[in-house]
Amino acid sequence: NVPLAEEVALKDFAAKRGLLMMGPDCGTALIAGVPVAFANAVPRGDIGIVSASGTGLQEVSSLLARLGRGVSHGIGVGGRDLSREVGGRMTLAAMDALEADPATKSIIVISKPPAPSVTKKIKARAKRSRKPVTLCLLGAKDEAVRTLEAAAGFASSEKIKVTAKGSIRGLFCGGTLCAEAQIVLMDHGLKVSSNAPVPGASEKGARHSLIDLGDDEFTRARPHPMIEPELRNEHLARALADNSIGVVLMDVVIGYGAHADPAGLIANVVRNSKKLVIASVTGTEGDPQVYSLQVKKLRAAGVIVAASNAAAARLAAIAVGGR
């Protein structure tokens, strides 16, 4: 809820002083191993992350941790930094900073759907970099790296086979996780509507729907659902009672700043339901909520837990007959 003009002015103010301004609308950073606001307990390493997405940074850094890799710095530049109005101001500055950082050997850039004009700037900067740069610009045209999972180099092979009658209803705390799920479902030939659709989404006549409950429209005068998940539980209860819905797809984001037990709250709602509920957990064993314990609680309540958000979306797509 920060006006765009103020964001631009603040970022210009920072740039004139050789500083980085992080945010708004992206409450995640890992600076020299120190988590700031929402973040996960991940090891130090040589991968630098620039992210116009809080949960995108969390998902990629957590998947890297599970692969035994570490993060030098994770810089959250604000969810709108790659919009036409902001123009990638802090993304470009953060790429400069990481290229100059001796501890960083490679760079990953993450964003929700960027403006085409800004995409060109980021791609041009990546080509000039002396260090390898992986661009994960979700929804950008002709992008080779289409998911956060791919950006982290994480390969999940889901052997579970499930089927369901009805539509998919996605209930997300993370906007970028919601966008990634929409891309995966579209790649499986499904039409999906969303309150924050990715570019090129064919929503006319869409049977399936995703909701980003962390969007500004849901967080005015109340905490973000990663802090207080009760809003999502209201949506979850309605989805479980809706006979037209066959699959409920969810993200569970843990770490510093997040609710102490989001899986426990979900388990209380879904327990004894016969609806197919598929989820993923973004986090690590070192997080206060402990990744494996959150997974255990969900599975005990009958939830199918996939290894990543993208893998959960694939399972949901296949369950309803996606190609």
Side-chain angles (χ1 to χ4, degrees), residues 173 225-230 232-233 236 250-255 258-271 277 279-283 288-305:
C173 292
M226 282 169 56
I227 300 170
E228 182 45 77
E230 289 301 326
R232 180 163 68 174
N233 282 353
L236 175 57
M250 306 177 73
D251 60 351
V252 179
V253 184
I254 61 174
H259 189 275
D261 186 20
L265 292 180
I266 293 169
N268 289 337
V269 179
V270 304
R271 191 174 282 112
V277 181
S280 67
V281 177
T282 295
Q289 303 88 345
V290 186
Y291 174 84
S292 61
L293 294 181
Q294 292 289 292
V295 170
K296 184 177 179 179
K297 287 183 180 183
L298 292 170
R299 287 178 173 161
V303 177
I304 293 175
V305 183

Side-chain angles (χ1 to χ4, degrees), residues 7 13 34-35 55-56 59 73 76 100 143 206 208-209 217 235 256 258 267 283 290 321:
E7 178 175 345
F13 181 88
V34 179
T55 52
E59 176 79 349
H73 306 281
E143 279 302 299
H208 313 283
S209 64
E217 65 178 298
H235 286 264
Y256 300 107
V290 186

Side-chain angles (χ1 to χ4, degrees), residues 140-315:
K141 189 177 180 181
D142 302 324
E143 279 302 299
V145 180
R146 291 182 60 79
T147 65
L148 302 167
E149 181 186 70
F154 187 90
S156 58
S157 56
E158 302 300 325
K159 298 179 180 179
I160 305 168
K161 292 185 178 181
V162 290
T163 58
K165 293 181 179 179
S167 62
I168 298 170
R169 174 63 53 80
L171 302 173
F172 289 85
C173 292
T176 303
L177 299 179
C178 184
E180 180 185 42
Q182 185 170 22
I183 289 169
V184 171
L185 296 178
M186 288 165 53
D187 285 348
H188 281 77
L190 304 179
K191 289 188 175 183
V192 190
S193 65
S194 171
N195 63 330
V198 298
S202 178
E203 295 191 293
K204 187 177 181 180
R207 179 186 174 200
H208 313 283
S209 64
L210 308 178
I211 304 174
D212 169 19
L213 293 165
D215 191 73
D216 282 355
E217 65 178 298
F218 294 108
T219 56
R220 289 189 178 95
R222 67 185 302 166
H224 191 282
M226 282 169 56
I227 300 170
E228 182 45 77
E230 289 301 326
L231 172 65
R232 180 163 68 174
N233 282 353
E234 296 170 14
H235 286 264
L236 175 57
R238 287 197 293 271
L240 294 174
D242 189 335
N243 291 330
S244 69
I245 296 172
V247 180
V248 178
L249 179 62
M250 306 177 73
D251 60 351
V252 179
V253 184
I254 61 174
Y256 300 107
H259 189 275
D261 186 20
L265 292 180
I266 293 169
N268 289 337
V269 179
V270 304
R271 191 174 282 112
N272 300 322
S273 172
K274 294 182 180 179
K275 192 85 69 179
L276 179 59
V277 181
I278 302 174
S280 67
V281 177
T282 295
T284 70
E285 284 297 291
D287 287 329
Q289 303 88 345
V290 186
Y291 174 84
S292 61
L293 294 181
Q294 292 289 292
V295 170
K296 184 177 179 179
K297 287 183 180 183
L298 292 170
R299 287 178 173 161
V303 177
I304 293 175
V305 183
S308 70
N309 182 66
R314 284 195 295 271
L315 280 177

